[in-house]
Amino acid sequence: MSASAGDREPGVLHQDNAKEDSSGPPCAGENSKHDSVCTGSSEIKSRAVVKYCAAPPPTSYALLQEKTDLKLPPANWLRENPQLGSAGTTVLGSSSKSKPFSSFGMAYEFIDCIGDDVDVVSDSENIKKLLKIPYSKSHVSMAVHRVGRTLLLDELDIQELFMRSSQTGDWTWLKEFYQRLIDQKWQRKKKSKEHWYQKAILSKFLYYSINGDGAAEPVPDNPNDGEEQNEAEEYSSSWPTAFTSAASDTEESDAPKQGSVSMDSQFALGQVTSVPKEQNLPMLFDEGENSQGLRNDFVRNIMWTFEDIHMLVGSNMPIFGGGRYPAVSLRLRDNNKPINILTGIDYWLDNLMCNVPELVMCFHVNGIVQKYEMIKTEDIPHLENSNFSTRVVKDIAQNILSFLKSNCTKEGHTYWLFKASGSDIVKLYDLTTLCEEAEEEKCQNPFTLPVAVLLYRVASNLMLKARQNRKHYGTIRTLLLNCVKLLDEERHPQIIASAHYMLSELFQLDEAPEEDEGESLRAGGSEDSYSDEDGEEEEEELTEDSDENGDENGSYGSCSSPQDDSKAVAVIRSVGELSVPEKYKSTHQIRPSGVFPVSLDKEERCRHVLSYVLKGLKAVDGTIQKESDLPAADPNTPIPLKYEDRSAIGACAAEQGISLLLERGQSTVHNQKHPTRSGMIPGSWQHRMKLQLFLKASKAYYVLSDAATNLLKYGRALRYIKLSLQCYDAYCSVSGTPHPHMLQFHSQCLSLCGDIQLMLAQNAHNRAAYLEEYSYQTKEDQEILHSLHRESSCQAFNMATDLAMDPEYQLFVSSKCYEAAYELVISEALKDQLAQVLKRLGNIRNEMGVYYMNQAAAMQTEKEVKKSVSIAEQEMWKKSFAFFEKGMKDFEAIGDSTNTALLLCNTGRLMRICAQAHCAVSADQSRGEFSPEEALYYNKAIDYYSRAMKSLASRENHPAVWDSVNWELSTTYFTLATLLQDYAPLSRKAQEQIEREVTEAMMKSLKYCDLQTESARQPLYQYRAATIHHRLASMYHSCFRNQVGDEHLRKQHRSLAELHYSKAVCLFLSLKDAPCELLRTLLERVAFAEFTMAGQSSNAAKLKSLTGAVELMAETRCAFLLIHKELLEEQIELREPDAAESAESRDVVGGSASGLNLQEVMKLIGVFEPSFSFLLLQLIKLMTTMKRKPSNKDEELLKTYRNVYSKLLRAEKNAPLLRRVELHIELLQQLTPQTGSDDTHSR
């Protein structure tokens, strides 16, 4: 017995509409002898939770008096009643026929449950029909659809389908297939008068039971007319013709109304929310209309858990209050017909699903009420003539679910579960595959669109969850790809465009997927695999079986046609198998049906995104009619990405072009009422969708550009950022006032564009390769560009993204991009990006300052004759200084002391270049005196370097920058002192003043020579310190020689010269690679000793001075040893194959392969030999003329000196350099005391 389709009764666990009851249902009763139906610890577990209930609170049923004649209509009959709902408008009372899309209506409403949480969604009538298969000879015909883990079951009324086929020509392939299947001509069987009689008295019984007091309505005089009316009602098709074509005038009443398929507004991506009528889309998307099966028409929706099976079922069974329990179900039975097992299972399952603990049975004879009987739900399986095992029903349910899940594997396919009347064989066909084989359009399957929309809606719902959990990505991708496969782009462009946009959203562009998420990103939709023991056996020929009992809906026979039997996806050979426990059992996990690509690099992900964006754009463009204003473009013809040499373009023209960079940050479309360039109407779904697709494409190209920049592929990077900005330009062309986050993205694009132009300027040597990368275009990029040009000329950012040939212009464009990004950031108060943009702005200003500084230095070098400073040089200085000043302000604004110090350091260098340009030149082109302008600029440089040191505060903050600034400061002081010393401005200053200034500058330079810290510069610092000491010693030596009168000052100069000479010698000795400097210093020191001796009168003092001078001369042996070593290395290299070539090149420069200056060595030896000879001669004379008697030691020394002097005199003056050096080493060795200390300086 079935429930009325329109009852409005409360569920047992009644809550407000659309609210789920989280409390558990009460137990249906005490355990019975064999089977129990209790949610507690019993053998059969059943739990029902009402998720939605449209019925009013329960009211008690009216207990009819005995002998009440149900053939007479009550006063309120056929009047609409809230307790019976739509059942009040039909004499059918309750229809056993399900609507073909009832499961979709429930799925749309409870979208959260679909795909994972629920196993089955269906009308309760379909569930009951499936569970009665082993007990019933009736036919079964159901459509099965899979969405993730969920199966949607709907009645597939072949009889009604074929009636439509004869009118429209649809489904002829299925009709032919079915006729072959049953091997007979299909014929329609009319329902008996008894059928309508039973329906009528049931309807009257329900109206009597609600105790209505309305006026009685007359019963139709002609019962046949009533039957025809009823039949017409029943056969008025719920099959929507609008799925394939617009409903004709004669079919308007039968065509389905537009159902409610509301897309989540939070996912505002232009989803299916409104469809223009001219597209002739199925009327499926308007709210509030009765869609005759595409909406949830059930009185209550229940989440029913039967054992381990979770089902979302729809029920219309009337529920009344009364008895010992708060809810009962009412049934009407003919007293002369006992309850059979099928009726018992019907009643038991209805009560379980609705959680009704009791059944009230009203018995009648020929419509006259006899008695009432109350039966507990758990007692129904044990009624006389209706005894059945609940455990068997449980096994049937589990086996059927396992069978369907293991065989209905393809999402989007329509499966047909069919059992002929009187047959024991159940077959499963894939109608989608059969339809494709029949070469008919997929849209002719009336389930296609509802399935596609459901797949889309489940994906949309999961998309919101995917924000928190990326494990859904694979499932979403599979759902959307299957959705797109089902739809025809010409009929459903909106869903297709939106699906492709969502597919593009699955690929994260801003972050790389984590490695440990690989498994979690695989497609959901993985199901248990169920093994059918007989599943792989060959299909056997089935014997014919006649349907003796017939069927109330028509004549369905069974056949055994092998060719049609082979088309079945799976077969249950005997319905008896369904009663065998775990006949179809879960054995292992199936692999995911689709795997989300998690191991893709950024470029691959972006390419996937762009391919989906392009498909979405094509779907949208196909719906826009107006194309008259557009140029006829061939998608196969590339749109050139032009490059220009901007060297001749003035800054003024460029300034005008750069203003466009900021225009797109403002409201570009002031009047949103007018159509866009392509004819789109603002606010339409096409408009919203294009906005999102353009933006997605822009972001994808941005990521591609960023990735190419990291790979140093700057030509490719510029091409991608150009495409990104063109997409953004098109977005702005069709958009109104941009959202602040869009301006943030605009700022990021401009910043990246500035980065790329900067890198192109710095890598000018590779320009040919960059040009080739920039000019390349894929077909996909061309097609996207053509779609962009439908809405915009895409010229706004050309100036910023063209590949210029002039580095200066590239730097200029880069700075303007950063400036435009800065203006956007401060206008929208995007504080999180301000520091980043300011750092970029400071950096480009530093680069431009360095560029103009180098240009000025180059001008200075190229001058053939030193003249006064040119105007062009001064202009370069001004530009460079202005950029350095701006850059410092940018870095100071964000508290970046390190970069501030670097810019101060660069400004110091600029001041030194200015100083070099102001050096005085005499008439004969020789270097003149140190000018005041030079002093001014060098002091300015020192000031900037000092500020840089102050900005850094300490070396710990940034050691590398600190060391660099420290070195530059030391160098500037040293250069200043050297120029003062070498080109003393004696015409302006006194000698003493100059000496003081030189000493002060030298000591400050020495102060910044970091001799302690181990670094790459340590040897340079040591060399500089040695040079400073040498120069100071030379200066004091000169002062000592020239000073007359002030004996105290002479002594001071003498001691200072001695001190600095000794320090210089120590430092040069430690370097091991400055033999010439060491030799020169020692020779000067010997000369200083000789000069000191000249002023002495006593022979003893002279002897002491001469002995000291000879000892100093002996120290030169260390320098000669180093020279000898380098000369030997040079000789070894001369034996190499390229000796002649290298020797020739060295002769030109006067050097050696080891870096030794041979000319300098020869010059120093020319000083050494006469000085050495003079000292020995003077020493021999003095020791010979001594009045006192010489000691043995003195005699030995004298003999040594004579021997050395003799060899020195006899030495060949034209001997090779190496031999002369070896002789000097030998002679000096003889003078060295034999204490072993000389070994330390040996080779």
Side-chain angles (χ1 to χ4, degrees):
M1 177 175 170
S2 304
S4 168
D7 295 335
R8 292 293 182 270
E9 292 300 329
V12 177
L13 304 177
H14 177 74
Q15 294 288 320
D16 291 337
N17 288 358
K19 292 184 180 178
E20 178 174 338
D21 191 339
S22 58
S23 62
C27 181
E30 298 177 1
N31 291 351
S32 61
K33 297 177 182 178
H34 303 289
D35 298 297
S36 61
V37 188
C38 178
T39 56
S41 59
S42 59
E43 297 180 20
I44 298 299
K45 297 178 182 176
S46 174
R47 184 173 186 267
V49 176
V50 178
K51 293 183 74 70
Y52 171 82
C53 183
T59 58
S60 298
Y61 62 92
L63 195 63
L64 303 184
Q65 295 180 359
E66 194 176 345
K67 305 299 181 185
T68 301
D69 188 356
L70 296 177
K71 294 191 293 296
L72 299 175
N76 61 347
W77 192 41
L78 299 182
R79 290 187 180 178
E80 188 171 353
N81 187 286
Q83 211 161 337
L84 295 181
S86 59
T89 61
T90 173
V91 296
L92 296 179
S94 68
S95 173
S96 63
K97 187 172 74 66
S98 301
K99 293 178 180 177
F101 299 102
S102 59
S103 68
F104 289 90
M106 284 189 284
Y108 292 162
E109 188 159 330
F110 301 103
I111 201 75
D112 280 334
C113 304
I114 308 305
D116 194 26
D117 300 335
V118 175
D119 296 302
V120 177
V121 178
S122 186
D123 186 345
S124 60
E125 297 299 322
N126 295 332
I127 300 293
K128 291 189 294 181
K129 186 175 287 189
L130 282 178
L131 299 188
K132 292 188 295 183
I133 283 179
Y135 302 98
S136 172
K137 291 292 183 181
S138 297
H139 86 287
V140 174
S141 175
M142 288 190 192
V144 185
H145 297 90
R146 180 194 187 97
V147 178
R149 294 179 56 90
T150 305
L151 296 175
L152 278 70
L153 305 179
D154 293 282
E155 183 176 359
L156 186 61
D157 193 331
I158 295 294
Q159 179 179 1
E160 184 176 329
L161 196 64
F162 292 167
M163 286 181 64
R164 291 212 55 79
S165 175
S166 61
Q167 297 171 11
T168 64
D170 300 336
W171 290 80
T172 53
W173 58 273
L174 182 59
K175 185 174 181 179
E176 292 169 3
F177 172 75
Y178 179 72
Q179 286 173 351
R180 291 198 305 273
L181 186 68
I182 61 171
D183 199 23
Q184 66 180 51
K185 211 170 183 183
W186 173 81
Q187 58 181 6
R188 172 184 166 192
K189 182 179 178 181
K190 290 188 177 182
K191 295 187 179 181
S192 64
K193 290 185 178 181
E194 176 65 21
H195 170 79
W196 300 115
Y197 168 75
Q198 294 296 338
K199 291 286 186 185
I201 64 167
L202 172 59
S203 174
K204 294 168 186 174
F205 168 68
L206 289 174
Y207 274 97
Y208 275 118
S209 299
I210 61 173
N211 219 1
D213 54 358
E217 294 291 335
V219 181
D221 297 331
N222 187 344
N224 291 328
D225 291 346
E227 288 173 20
E228 289 174 9
Q229 176 190 345
N230 297 335
E231 290 182 65
E233 269 190 52
E234 184 168 356
Y235 290 115
S236 61
S237 172
S238 296
W239 295 95
T241 53
F243 289 165
T244 54
S245 60
S248 63
D249 295 339
T250 58
E251 293 173 327
E252 280 184 1
S253 60
D254 294 338
K257 302 296 181 181
Q258 298 170 4
S260 167
V261 185
S262 60
M263 301 304 159
D264 198 305
S265 59
Q266 297 176 43
F267 202 72
L269 311 173
Q271 286 100 321
V272 187
T273 50
S274 62
V275 182
K277 293 179 181 179
E278 63 268 20
Q279 292 183 45
N280 196 23
L281 276 176
M283 295 177 286
L284 197 67
F285 305 103
D286 292 335
E287 299 283 352
E289 296 289 339
N290 176 10
S291 61
Q292 296 188 10
L294 289 177
R295 53 172 288 182
N296 184 10
D297 281 332
F298 294 102
V299 172
R300 62 186 62 79
N301 299 113
I302 301 152
M303 186 63 73
W304 181 40
T305 304
F306 185 56
E307 286 295 306
D308 58 346
I309 304 171
H310 303 283
M311 292 179 270
L312 178 62
V313 298
S315 174
N316 290 322
M317 184 178 75
I319 299 176
F320 296 86
R324 292 173 298 165
Y325 295 96
V328 295
S329 58
L330 280 180
R331 301 290 181 171
L332 182 66
R333 288 297 299 174
D334 190 332
N335 205 21
N336 296 326
K337 296 179 182 178
I339 297 176
N340 60 29
I341 192 169
L342 296 177
T343 307
I345 293 174
D346 242 17
Y347 292 171
W348 181 68
L349 289 173
D350 268 333
N351 277 17
L352 277 188
M353 289 180 203
C354 296
N355 209 33
V356 176
E358 278 192 324
L359 166 69
V360 174
M361 190 84 77
C362 177
F363 292 94
H364 73 95
V365 175
N366 295 326
I368 306 300
V369 174
Q370 301 296 312
K371 62 176 180 177
Y372 280 85
E373 185 178 333
M374 189 166 286
I375 306 167
K376 290 183 178 179
T377 300
E378 62 265 30
D379 293 336
I380 295 174
H382 312 295
L383 293 176
E384 188 179 355
N385 298 321
S386 179
N387 195 299
F388 62 90
S389 168
T390 56
R391 184 176 297 181
V392 170
V393 176
K394 180 260 296 183
D395 291 335
I396 294 168
Q398 290 174 335
N399 281 326
I400 288 176
L401 178 64
S402 300
F403 173 77
L404 291 175
K405 279 203 168 186
S406 60
N407 293 296
C408 301
T409 55
K410 298 178 182 177
E411 282 182 316
H413 278 226
T414 298
Y415 292 91
W416 179 29
L417 185 71
F418 176 72
K419 182 180 87 73
S421 294
S423 173
D424 285 341
I425 301 171
V426 182
K427 298 180 184 180
L428 185 71
Y429 296 95
D430 185 346
L431 293 187
T432 304
T433 304
L434 292 174
C435 179
E436 290 169 356
E437 290 173 359
E439 298 182 355
E440 293 202 21
E441 293 184 16
K442 57 188 174 183
C443 59
Q444 289 188 345
N445 179 345
F447 284 102
T448 298
L449 187 58
V451 171
V453 172
L454 181 58
L455 292 173
Y456 174 87
R457 294 196 63 191
V458 173
S460 297
N461 188 60
L462 284 177
M463 199 75 178
L464 300 173
K465 298 178 183 176
R467 304 296 188 197
Q468 290 79 37
N469 192 345
R470 294 175 61 193
K471 73 178 183 181
H472 298 296
Y473 280 13
T475 305
I476 295 168
R477 182 168 179 263
T478 304
L479 289 167
L480 291 173
L481 288 174
N482 287 329
C483 168
V484 171
K485 279 182 193 174
L486 292 172
L487 297 173
D488 182 359
E489 189 171 312
E490 291 184 3
R491 288 183 169 86
H492 315 298
Q494 185 180 0
I495 311 177
I496 288 175
S498 186
H500 281 124
Y501 175 75
M502 280 200 284
L503 281 166
S504 73
E505 277 287 281
L506 293 176
F507 293 88
Q508 297 296 308
L509 298 179
D510 51 350
E511 60 179 347
E514 298 177 13
E515 292 179 6
D516 58 354
E517 286 187 355
E519 288 302 317
S520 67
L521 291 184
R522 295 183 182 278
S526 60
E527 294 295 340
D528 291 336
S529 175
Y530 299 96
S531 65
D532 181 357
E533 294 172 10
D534 303 325
E536 297 183 4
E537 296 179 10
E538 292 296 325
E539 297 294 337
E540 297 179 3
E541 201 171 302
L542 303 177
T543 58
E544 291 189 17
D545 185 15
S546 61
D547 180 13
E548 297 176 0
N549 299 325
D551 190 89
E552 65 175 26
N553 287 328
S555 174
Y556 295 87
S558 62
C559 79
S560 57
S561 173
Q563 66 270 23
D564 295 322
D565 199 42
S566 64
K567 294 183 181 293
V569 174
V571 175
I572 299 175
R573 295 177 178 278
S574 172
V575 292
E577 291 180 358
L578 295 174
S579 303
V580 179
E582 299 184 349
K583 172 68 175 176
Y584 300 89
K585 184 183 176 183
S586 170
T587 56
H588 62 277
Q589 293 287 319
I590 289 184
R591 292 175 186 170
S593 56
V595 178
F596 188 76
V598 293
S599 59
L600 301 178
D601 60 23
K602 275 188 178 180
E603 187 162 359
E604 286 178 297
R605 290 205 302 274
C606 291
R607 280 293 160 198
H608 277 289
V609 167
L610 291 170
S611 70
Y612 288 128
V613 166
L614 177 58
K615 289 174 184 175
L617 287 172
K618 284 181 176 179
V620 176
D621 287 339
T623 67
I624 302 171
Q625 303 298 322
K626 182 183 175 183
E627 298 185 8
S628 56
D629 297 337
L630 298 178
D634 179 8
N636 297 316
T637 303
I639 296 175
L641 295 169
K642 297 179 182 178
Y643 68 93
E644 296 180 31
D645 187 347
R646 298 283 187 162
S647 55
I649 297 180
C652 181
E655 286 286 356
Q656 294 173 356
I658 206 70
S659 63
L660 287 169
L661 296 178
L662 279 171
E663 282 183 10
R664 287 310 192 188
Q666 312 302 324
S667 178
T668 54
V669 181
H670 301 288
N671 190 346
Q672 282 286 298
K673 293 180 180 179
H674 297 303
T676 63
R677 185 181 184 188
S678 67
M680 279 195 310
I681 298 172
S684 65
W685 73 265
Q686 291 101 327
H687 181 260
R688 296 195 305 273
M689 180 57 67
K690 269 207 172 179
L691 280 177
Q692 300 300 334
L693 290 170
F694 285 162
L695 182 55
K696 191 68 181 179
S698 183
K699 289 181 176 178
Y701 280 125
Y702 171 85
V703 173
L704 282 171
S705 179
D706 187 47
T709 304
N710 294 335
L711 293 173
L712 311 184
K713 302 287 187 181
Y714 302 121
R716 185 194 304 174
L718 185 62
R719 169 165 56 90
Y720 283 139
I721 200 64
K722 182 181 183 77
L723 288 165
S724 177
L725 285 167
Q726 284 176 322
C727 292
Y728 182 77
D729 188 10
Y731 171 88
C732 293
S733 295
V734 298
S735 169
T737 305
H739 191 275
H741 85 269
M742 282 311 306
L743 297 179
Q744 182 176 353
F745 175 66
H746 186 186
S747 167
Q748 290 171 342
C749 286
L750 290 173
S751 296
L752 181 57
C753 188
D755 293 346
I756 296 165
Q757 292 283 13
L758 170 59
M759 298 313 295
L760 286 168
Q762 291 178 344
N763 294 273
H765 60 281
N766 215 8
R767 187 166 285 125
Y770 297 147
L771 178 58
E772 185 178 350
E773 292 172 3
Y774 181 76
S775 304
Y776 175 77
Q777 253 192 329
T778 66
K779 185 177 180 182
E780 196 171 70
D781 295 338
Q782 293 169 24
E783 290 180 339
I784 289 175
L785 263 177
H786 280 290
S787 183
L788 298 178
H789 284 138
R790 292 172 65 89
E791 304 299 341
S792 167
S793 61
C794 299
Q795 301 295 314
F797 300 101
N798 274 6
M799 198 277 295
T801 55
D802 282 343
L803 180 58
M805 294 290 106
D806 176 24
E808 180 183 358
Y809 182 75
Q810 288 173 326
L811 288 171
F812 171 77
V813 169
S814 178
S815 73
K816 289 303 174 184
C817 286
Y818 292 142
E819 286 172 20
Y822 175 72
E823 292 297 328
L824 286 170
V825 167
I826 59 171
S827 66
E828 293 299 324
L830 301 171
K831 293 183 179 178
D832 55 329
Q833 280 201 323
L834 182 60
Q836 196 177 19
V837 172
L838 277 173
K839 183 170 280 192
R840 280 184 161 90
L841 205 48
N843 181 55
I844 189 61
R845 284 167 173 168
N846 175 56
E847 290 291 337
M848 295 193 75
V850 169
Y851 176 81
Y852 289 120
M853 179 171 67
N854 291 339
Q855 291 289 101
M859 287 180 184
Q860 191 175 309
T861 307
E862 290 167 4
K863 281 188 192 176
E864 294 181 4
V865 181
K866 287 277 183 180
K867 296 179 181 177
S868 58
V869 180
S870 67
I871 296 174
E873 277 183 280
Q874 292 180 357
E875 284 299 316
M876 292 295 141
W877 295 344
K878 288 177 183 177
K879 285 182 179 180
S880 179
F881 183 75
F883 280 116
F884 285 143
E885 285 282 299
K886 289 178 181 177
M888 280 186 274
K889 288 178 182 177
D890 293 331
F891 287 125
E892 285 168 359
I894 57 175
D896 190 339
S897 58
T898 304
N899 279 315
T900 303
L902 283 172
L903 263 79
L904 286 164
C905 191
N906 281 337
T907 312
R909 184 177 160 223
L910 176 65
M911 296 299 108
R912 285 162 61 190
I913 289 173
C914 294
Q916 290 166 14
H918 282 90
C919 73
V921 180
S922 60
D924 59 351
Q925 297 300 317
S926 61
R927 177 73 165 83
E929 288 186 351
F930 185 68
S931 67
E933 289 83 4
E934 286 180 273
L936 172 68
Y937 282 114
Y938 275 118
N939 283 315
K940 281 186 177 182
I942 288 167
D943 179 52
Y944 282 114
Y945 287 130
S946 301
R947 282 171 60 189
M949 296 289 281
K950 188 177 179 182
S951 174
L952 289 170
S954 68
R955 187 175 186 272
E956 288 72 24
N957 292 336
H958 205 297
V961 177
W962 175 274
D963 291 345
S964 177
V965 175
N966 194 70
W967 170 259
E968 295 296 337
L969 184 54
S970 172
T971 302
T972 307
Y973 274 121
F974 178 73
T975 306
L976 175 63
T978 302
L979 290 171
L980 268 172
Q981 188 177 13
D982 294 347
Y983 307 100
L986 295 172
S987 62
R988 293 183 289 108
K989 293 182 180 180
Q991 177 73 29
E992 292 79 7
Q993 184 184 354
I994 292 171
E995 288 172 359
R996 281 197 305 272
E997 289 179 3
V998 168
T999 303
E1000 182 183 355
M1002 286 290 188
M1003 294 310 292
K1004 284 183 178 178
S1005 178
L1006 194 61
K1007 172 188 171 185
Y1008 291 107
C1009 286
D1010 186 358
L1011 301 176
Q1012 308 304 321
T1013 306
E1014 289 188 7
S1015 66
R1017 283 199 178 98
Q1018 191 179 27
L1020 296 175
Y1021 277 127
Q1022 289 175 335
Y1023 183 84
R1024 175 166 292 167
T1027 305
I1028 288 171
H1029 285 299
H1030 176 214
R1031 278 183 163 272
L1032 286 172
S1034 297
M1035 186 181 75
Y1036 288 126
H1037 182 179
S1038 176
C1039 293
F1040 177 71
R1041 289 171 68 100
N1042 300 326
Q1043 185 69 36
V1044 179
D1046 193 340
E1047 197 60 34
H1048 173 72
L1049 194 58
R1050 291 190 78 233
K1051 284 184 180 179
Q1052 188 178 0
H1053 286 161
R1054 177 182 173 180
S1055 63
L1056 285 170
E1058 286 286 349
L1059 173 67
H1060 287 295
Y1061 274 133
S1062 63
K1063 287 186 176 181
V1065 168
C1066 289
L1067 286 166
F1068 280 133
L1069 276 171
S1070 66
L1071 281 172
K1072 302 288 186 187
D1073 60 351
C1076 293
E1077 288 82 353
L1078 176 60
L1079 184 57
R1080 185 186 298 108
T1081 305
L1082 286 168
L1083 289 175
E1084 284 186 20
R1085 197 173 182 187
V1086 168
F1088 183 70
E1090 289 176 358
F1091 180 78
T1092 305
M1093 182 192 71
Q1096 293 172 339
S1097 55
S1098 67
N1099 286 340
K1102 285 185 178 182
L1103 182 61
K1104 184 178 180 183
S1105 295
L1106 283 170
T1107 305
V1110 169
E1111 288 176 358
L1112 289 173
M1113 191 65 82
E1115 288 184 22
T1116 60
R1117 177 174 170 270
C1118 299
F1120 282 116
L1121 284 171
L1122 292 171
I1123 291 170
H1124 183 259
K1125 181 182 177 182
E1126 292 191 18
L1127 289 172
L1128 281 176
E1129 289 176 354
E1130 180 185 356
Q1131 271 196 350
I1132 293 170
E1133 288 182 9
L1134 284 171
R1135 296 191 188 103
E1136 300 288 329
D1138 300 331
E1141 207 173 301
S1142 59
E1144 184 180 341
S1145 63
R1146 282 197 298 277
D1147 287 343
V1148 174
V1149 297
S1152 70
S1154 59
L1156 190 66
N1157 190 335
L1158 299 179
Q1159 290 181 352
E1160 181 73 9
V1161 172
M1162 293 295 290
K1163 184 178 177 183
L1164 289 171
I1165 288 176
V1167 175
F1168 169 79
E1169 287 177 345
S1171 178
F1172 192 21
S1173 297
F1174 174 78
L1175 281 176
L1176 288 171
L1177 179 62
Q1178 293 300 318
L1179 195 56
I1180 292 169
K1181 282 181 180 180
L1182 196 59
M1183 290 180 72
T1184 305
T1185 58
M1186 288 273 299
K1187 292 180 181 180
R1188 66 181 178 84
K1189 185 179 178 179
S1191 64
N1192 291 334
K1193 184 179 179 183
D1194 290 340
E1195 287 179 355
E1196 286 292 326
L1197 282 173
L1198 181 60
K1199 184 179 177 181
T1200 302
Y1201 292 151
R1202 283 174 174 170
N1203 185 31
V1204 170
Y1205 183 65
S1206 172
K1207 288 182 179 180
L1208 191 61
L1209 288 176
R1210 288 197 300 271
E1212 293 182 33
K1213 300 300 180 183
N1214 296 324
L1217 180 61
L1218 183 62
R1219 193 180 300 172
R1220 292 174 72 181
V1221 170
E1222 288 174 346
L1223 174 65
H1224 296 154
I1225 292 171
E1226 181 188 343
L1227 295 176
L1228 291 169
Q1229 177 67 32
Q1230 292 180 29
L1231 295 178
T1232 305
Q1234 301 300 315
T1235 58
S1237 61
D1238 58 315
D1239 294 338
T1240 58
H1241 303 298
S1242 65
R1243 288 175 289 162

